[in-house]
């Protein structure tokens, strides 16, 4: 694909302290931009990262037509660049776009655009286990009109941010019994920007109680566990691993489905089924609840140290060997080209 490239005159990379990065606050020299107008996607361009101009009436500001993906690029010891299951990312981006009445992005633009952008900004991808380049592809509605209807114009953009190993500290969560992340028939399964905005307020209330995140429950009854913050969630009762099935409320996490497959590969008993809050409370009371952990692109696997549900609190036991650390190591070894990839998840750029 012929992608027009406008390089920066001087890279800003020398001004970046790669040993002290705040997640998502430093961006590489370039970004990819592709416009949709007159019913078709135009040729993408790679331009210097910087401010963009939109009219105040751009539909994204008024009706929230915005979807995104979260990905990472990794560099192995030989300097080769890899992505992890990028085919799943473009599939999910387009599924999200469809739900918000936005046009599908041609896969060629996504894959080739990423490839050329990563090769151009290759110096921003540092070697070393835990170092990566976080990738944020997104689509926004740009037509200047405030009538309540889908936009006719869109922009697809990819920005990149160098990242280190993500460590959120000790995480304790509140199990939701009032607020909901998503409802049946809604957009919970889509990576729609508004899904995240609606979580900020109840999460801020959890922070005031000394908790870092929320385990979301079903909107109808608040009886069933669904997701943890912005991550899918796994429960270990005894030696059995359990996670909720995806539906139109739950994001089809790429890390989640990879963990499910790795559990099967390693003969770990795993069930994908609905999980009642009462079941988890009962397991905790009996001392059978061994682990809770979230899964997602940024942290890969994030252990949860304790939880609260109404007047019930529980601290997870300290274990010498955990499923959380097992799966994180397995996944990262695949991502960094340190182990065999029998499923073809690792894609060389």
């Amino acid at each position: 694909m012929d992608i027009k490239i406008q390089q920066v005159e001087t890279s800003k990379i020398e001004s970046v302290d790669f040993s002290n990065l705040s997640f998502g606050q430093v961006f590489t020299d370039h970004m990819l931009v592709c416009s949709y107008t007159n019913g078709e996607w135009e040729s993408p361009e790679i331009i210097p990262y910087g401010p963009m101009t939109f009219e105040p009436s751009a539909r994204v500001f008024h009706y929230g037509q915005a979807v995104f993906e979260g990905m990472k690029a990794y560099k192995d010891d030989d300097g080769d660049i890899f992505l992890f299951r990028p085919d799943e990312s473009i599939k999910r981006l387009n599924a999200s776009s469809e739900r918000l009445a936005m046009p599908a992005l041609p896969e060629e633009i996504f894959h080739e655009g990423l490839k050329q952008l990563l090769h151009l900004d290759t110096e921003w991808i540092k070697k070393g286990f835990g170092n990566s380049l976080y990738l944020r592809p997104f689509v926004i509605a740009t037509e200047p009109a405030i009538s309540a209807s889908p936009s006719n114009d869109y922009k697809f953009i990819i920005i990149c941010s160098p990242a280190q190993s993500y460590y959120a500290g000790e995480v304790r969560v509140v199990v939701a019994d009032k607020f909901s992340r998503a409802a049946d028939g809604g957009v919970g399964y889509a990576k729609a920007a508004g899904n995240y905005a609606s979580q900020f307020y109840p999460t801020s209330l959890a922070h005031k109680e000394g908790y870092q995140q929320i385990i979301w429950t079903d909107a109808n009854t608040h009886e069933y566990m669904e997701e943890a913050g912005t991550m899918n969630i796994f429960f270990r009762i005894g030696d059995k691993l359990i996670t909720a099935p995806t539906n139109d409320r739950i994001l089809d996490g790429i890390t989640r489905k990879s963990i499910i497959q790795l559990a099967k590969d390693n003969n770990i008993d795993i069930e994908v089924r609905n999980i009642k809050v009462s079941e988890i409370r009962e397991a905790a009371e009996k001392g059978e609840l061994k682990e809770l952990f979230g899964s997602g692109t940024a942290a890969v696997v994030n252990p949860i140290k304790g939880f609260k549900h109404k007047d019930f609190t529980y601290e997870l036991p300290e274990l010498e060997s955990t499923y959380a650390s097992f799966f994180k190591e397995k996944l990262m070894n695949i991502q960094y080209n340190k182990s065999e990839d029998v499923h073809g998840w690792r894609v060389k750029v």
Side-chain angles (χ1 to χ4, degrees), residues 125-187:
I125 314 172
K126 298 303 183 183
K127 297 179 185 178
F129 210 54
N131 294 325
S132 63
L133 188 66
Y134 183 82
L135 314 174
R136 174 54 61 89
F138 61 102
V139 184
I140 58 173
T142 56
E143 182 186 9
I146 56 171
S147 55
S149 59
S151 179
N152 290 308
D153 300 333
Y154 298 87
K155 282 196 184 295
F156 168 63
I157 303 168
I158 305 175
I159 56 176
C160 310
S161 178
Q164 297 173 297
S165 292
Y166 185 89
Y167 176 64
E170 291 194 352
V171 174
R172 289 172 176 81
V173 299
V174 175
V175 178
D177 62 355
K178 177 183 177 183
F179 294 102
S180 301
R181 177 188 174 274
D184 293 338
V187 296

Side-chain angles (χ1 to χ4, degrees), residues 273-289:
R273 61 171 175 81
N274 292 322
I275 312 154
K276 281 194 170 186
V277 177
S278 58
E279 177 185 355
I280 297 304
R281 284 186 55 158
E282 182 180 351
E285 289 167 347
K286 292 181 177 178
E288 297 172 353
L289 182 64

Side-chain angles (χ1 to χ4, degrees), residues 221-289:
T221 67
H222 295 293
E223 290 183 6
Y224 294 93
M225 301 282 205
E226 297 204 326
E227 290 187 321
T230 58
M231 308 179 81
N232 296 116
I233 189 167
F234 289 83
F235 306 86
R236 177 184 174 184
I237 298 177
D239 288 332
K240 180 177 292 184
L241 195 61
I242 309 169
T243 192
T246 55
N247 51 40
D248 58 9
R249 300 184 306 273
I250 298 177
L251 187 71
D252 185 16
I254 296 168
T255 307
R256 169 192 174 275
K257 65 178 64 178
S258 303
I259 288 175
I260 292 171
Q261 184 59 57
L262 289 174
K264 295 175 180 177
D265 293 347
N266 290 276
N267 298 314
I268 292 174
D269 187 9
I270 184 164
E271 294 182 356
V272 180
R273 61 171 175 81
N274 292 322
I275 312 154
K276 281 194 170 186
V277 177
S278 58
E279 177 185 355
I280 297 304
R281 284 186 55 158
E282 182 180 351
E285 289 167 347
K286 292 181 177 178
E288 297 172 353
L289 182 64

